Amino acid sequence: DQQVKQNSPSLSVQEGRISILNCDYTNSMFDYFLWYKKYPAEGPTFLISISSIKDKNEDGRFTVFLNKSAKHLSLHIVPSQPGDSAVYFCAASGFYGGATNKLIFGTGTLLAVQP
Amino acid sequence: EPEVTQTPSHQVTQMGQEVILRCVPISNHLYFYWYRQILGQKVEFLVSFYNNEISEKSEIFDDQFSVERPDGSNFTLKIRSTKLEDSAMYFCASMEGIMNTEAFFGQGTRLTVV
């Protein structure tokens, strides 16, 4: 039951260019979406989030866009830096039916930023 | 900056043995979670804990698993009789509130069952 999907397992971009990571979801009850960054042998680190009442949230070089009608969100990193190289997980949550805001994760996209 | 800490970082155990994974969540957080990531797979929800009781658990969280918060600071995950397929990274997470807040994750415990 893949409620959150990241269809690109990997992405390679040049330093200074834009990185665009995509995520699709199927559960219309999700109302909060998050992006996490993960290095090997470390825990996920929160990056940026967006509530379903918004369509864009920006924090420095990171912008998340949400298209609710398409059940799609994307993370833009501009400009990309070599230190951004990591696995990026999209996650979704929703406080519905007694659920406890657990996160449903996508499978991740490995971003490699080439110097 | 407050952080979630987990111990040990790596645990090797024999099949059938009991293991306890420990976590210290961020002090003012109220909601606690365990997730796991089998190598090469996605991060999966195991259990959530609030007000000293389990509030939700996944189908993975069977009778072999238990959680408790014995002293108001530590949050533990116990696996009573480990199986080879329990080998994974186990992540503890905590959240301050329940609505539109992010979960903070620990560094994880790599559990290897041999």
Side-chain angles (χ1 to χ4, degrees), chain B residues 14-49:
Chain B
Q14 289 203 325
M15 191 168 54
Q17 295 296 303
E18 174 184 287
V19 294
I20 297 177
L21 310 183
R22 303 181 191 279
C23 169
V24 179
I26 295 173
S27 62
N28 64 330
H29 285 190
L30 300 176
Y31 298 85
F32 312 111
Y33 305 82
W34 284 100
Y35 292 82
R36 79 173 186 188
Q37 185 183 27
I38 294 172
L39 186 64
Q41 299 185 22
K42 62 181 178 181
V43 178
E44 301 174 288
F45 167 77
L46 291 179
V47 66
S48 59
F49 192 85

Side-chain angles (χ1 to χ4, degrees), chain A residues 1-4 31-32 34 36 38 41-44 46 49 51 89 95 98-103 105-107, chain B residues 33 35 37 41-43 45 48 55-56 89 91 95 97-108 110:
Chain A
D1 179 19
Q2 287 197 358
Q3 297 187 69
V4 179
D31 59 11
Y32 195 58
L34 309 91
Y36 282 84
K38 186 180 181 302
E42 293 187 10
F46 171 72
S49 62
S51 164
F89 288 98
F95 189 59
T100 53
N101 239 18
K102 64 178 183 283
L103 297 176
F105 282 87
T107 49
Chain B
Y33 305 82
Y35 292 82
Q37 185 183 27
Q41 299 185 22
K42 62 181 178 181
V43 178
F45 167 77
S48 59
S55 40
E56 187 176 359
M89 282 289 288
F91 296 107
M95 287 173 56
I98 196 65
M99 299 291 288
N100 294 353
T101 59
E102 61 270 21
F104 290 86
F105 285 78
Q107 295 285 79
R110 178 172 298 285

Side-chain angles (χ1 to χ4, degrees), chain A residues 26-66:
Chain A
T26 57
N27 191 336
S28 58
M29 298 298 286
F30 289 145
D31 59 11
Y32 195 58
F33 304 90
L34 309 91
W35 284 95
Y36 282 84
K37 178 179 178 180
K38 186 180 181 302
Y39 294 113
E42 293 187 10
T45 301
F46 171 72
L47 203 55
I48 193 169
S49 62
I50 188 166
S51 164
S52 61
I53 62 173
K54 296 185 176 182
D55 54 19
K56 178 182 174 181
N57 187 27
E58 192 171 350
D59 183 3
R61 296 186 297 115
F62 303 92
T63 303
V64 56
F65 295 92
L66 175 62

Side-chain angles (χ1 to χ4, degrees), chain A residues 6 12 15 18-19 21 31 42 44-45 49 61 79 82 91-92 95 111:
Chain A
Q6 293 176 256
S12 181
E15 181 178 5
I18 184 171
S19 295
L21 297 100
D31 59 11
E42 293 187 10
T45 301
S49 62
R61 296 186 297 115
F95 189 59
L111 174 65

Side-chain angles (χ1 to χ4, degrees), chain B residues 58-71:
Chain B
S58 72
E59 58 189 25
I60 302 169
F61 195 89
D62 62 22
D63 291 344
Q64 293 300 312
F65 292 86
S66 63
V67 290
E68 64 175 5
R69 197 150 185 258
D71 56 13

